[in-house]
Amino acid sequence: MRRKFIAGNWKMFNGPKATSEFINKFSAEIKASPEVIKAVADGSEEIALFVPAISLTAAADGVKELPVIIGAQNCHWEKNGAFTGEISVPMITEVGATHVLIGHSERRHIFREINEELNKKVQAAVEGGLVAVLCVGELLEEREAGRAFDVIREQFIEGLKGIDAKTAAEKIIIAYEPVWAIGTGKTAGNDDAEEICGYIRKLTAERFDGETADKIIILYGGSVKPENTKGIISQPDIDGVLVGGASLKPESFIQIVKNAL
């Protein structure tokens, strides 16, 4: 049985001070939630926070006594070099983070990152020991034009070039985030989200094999909140959620974690 993966993406919020304050409050929420502690201990659920680069050290230091994974929101594919403003995989692992988001729609559409670059990042991440969370998702106009599946397929296939089945099963997580549902308050219907996540699992079987498809973790993201978590997570091909704004408050994020059990 696949584990549930509940992740918060803080985007460009919470510097080191705010991060430490969040961790302190979230720690109290976890300690007051024995069902969460049990789920994490038995391996049925994982909790992750993807924080700004400047806050990675504060986050990693803050969760040393907590069952919380810390991840970066981006990485470069080179280990070092003249790439002003970038952070490398070795830098991320050095501070104690274990995961990294790659290809979030804001990176694709605001910063114009393309599949070829994202594939380099995926390969660098897994080769450097990180778990890569590859984000895929269609624009509203692409969905309305009937191209959602084509877009997802291209992003998936191009993003995972050079990745073998074992690596995909152990070091890759796929997050489906319809671009039109991110930060808009709109959420894909449970059936719509399941349709795409089920398609991603079929793509995994085609690209790798059935065993890998059964193992790979697939998330849904896009205006996730406590009220809609149970419906989303109840879908057979959705293993977790990637949460934006609702992950910025310890009280709402712990409720999402609980509702996913």
Side-chain angles (χ1 to χ4, degrees), residues 116 119-120 122-123 155-164 207-208:
E116 182 181 0
N119 176 243
K120 290 180 182 179
V122 168
Q123 294 196 50
Q155 292 175 348
F156 179 92
I157 297 297
E158 295 296 317
L160 295 182
K161 275 186 177 179
I163 301 297
D164 60 33
R207 169 65 177 78
F208 301 105

Side-chain angles (χ1 to χ4, degrees), residues 124-179:
V126 298
E127 288 170 7
L130 294 176
V131 173
V133 181
L134 177 64
C135 301
V136 300
E138 79 281 8
L139 296 166
L140 180 59
E141 53 264 38
E142 291 170 334
R143 171 169 278 268
E144 290 178 340
R147 296 188 55 242
F149 290 106
D150 292 337
V151 171
I152 299 301
R153 182 181 184 86
E154 181 180 357
Q155 292 175 348
F156 179 92
I157 297 297
E158 295 296 317
L160 295 182
K161 275 186 177 179
I163 301 297
D164 60 33
K166 184 175 187 297
T167 301
E170 297 176 358
K171 290 290 188 179
I172 300 292
I173 293 173
I174 303 295
Y176 167 57
E177 291 197 307
V179 182

Side-chain angles (χ1 to χ4, degrees), residues 30-47:
I30 290 178
K31 290 174 181 176
S33 308
E35 69 274 37
V36 172
I37 294 172
K38 180 181 183 299
V40 174
D42 66 23
S44 61
E45 185 175 63
E46 290 183 327
I47 307 166

Side-chain angles (χ1 to χ4, degrees), residues 62-98:
V63 302
K64 284 183 177 176
E65 304 300 322
L66 294 176
V68 178
I69 290 164
I70 298 300
Q73 297 176 3
N74 188 27
C75 68
H76 197 276
W77 56 84
E78 294 290 350
K79 294 180 179 179
N80 50 56
F83 304 104
T84 302
E86 295 290 329
I87 60 170
S88 67
V89 171
M91 291 175 181
I92 293 168
T93 59
E94 184 178 341
V95 300
T98 57

